Amino acid sequence: MLVRRGRLEDGAAEGSLSWRHSGFSVHHSIRVDPHDTEGLERLCRYLVHPPIALERLRNDGTRATSTAAAG
């Protein structure tokens, strides 16, 4: 979409598909068609899902840190 609209060059778009950064990489194998509203909703729900369930976090109130309970 950004290439089509002239906002991003082809080379930059291709490079971003496998861009590596310290600590993470860009995952690009899951694609959602712009008209697939159910697929887009599933992807958005996944993106906003916290990495740790809030119910597993514990804080005893005496420290500035929290711990996650074992699953």
Side-chain angles (χ1 to χ4, degrees):
M1 172 182 81
L2 294 176
V3 172
R4 192 172 60 240
R5 293 182 180 179
R7 304 280 188 208
L8 189 64
E9 295 179 6
D10 286 326
E14 289 173 16
S16 69
L17 294 176
S18 61
W19 177 63
R20 285 209 154 298
H21 190 275
S22 62
F24 71 93
S25 64
V26 177
H27 179 72
H28 61 85
S29 68
I30 303 298
R31 299 183 188 271
V32 178
D33 183 77
H35 303 291
D36 180 4
T37 55
E38 290 179 12
L40 183 59
E41 182 175 348
R42 281 192 305 273
L43 179 60
C44 290
R45 287 178 185 268
Y46 171 77
L47 291 173
V48 299
H49 190 276
I52 298 175
L54 295 178
E55 296 81 30
R56 293 182 54 201
L57 290 179
R58 302 287 181 261
N59 186 309
D60 64 10
T62 62
R63 295 179 277 181
T65 60
S66 297
T67 58

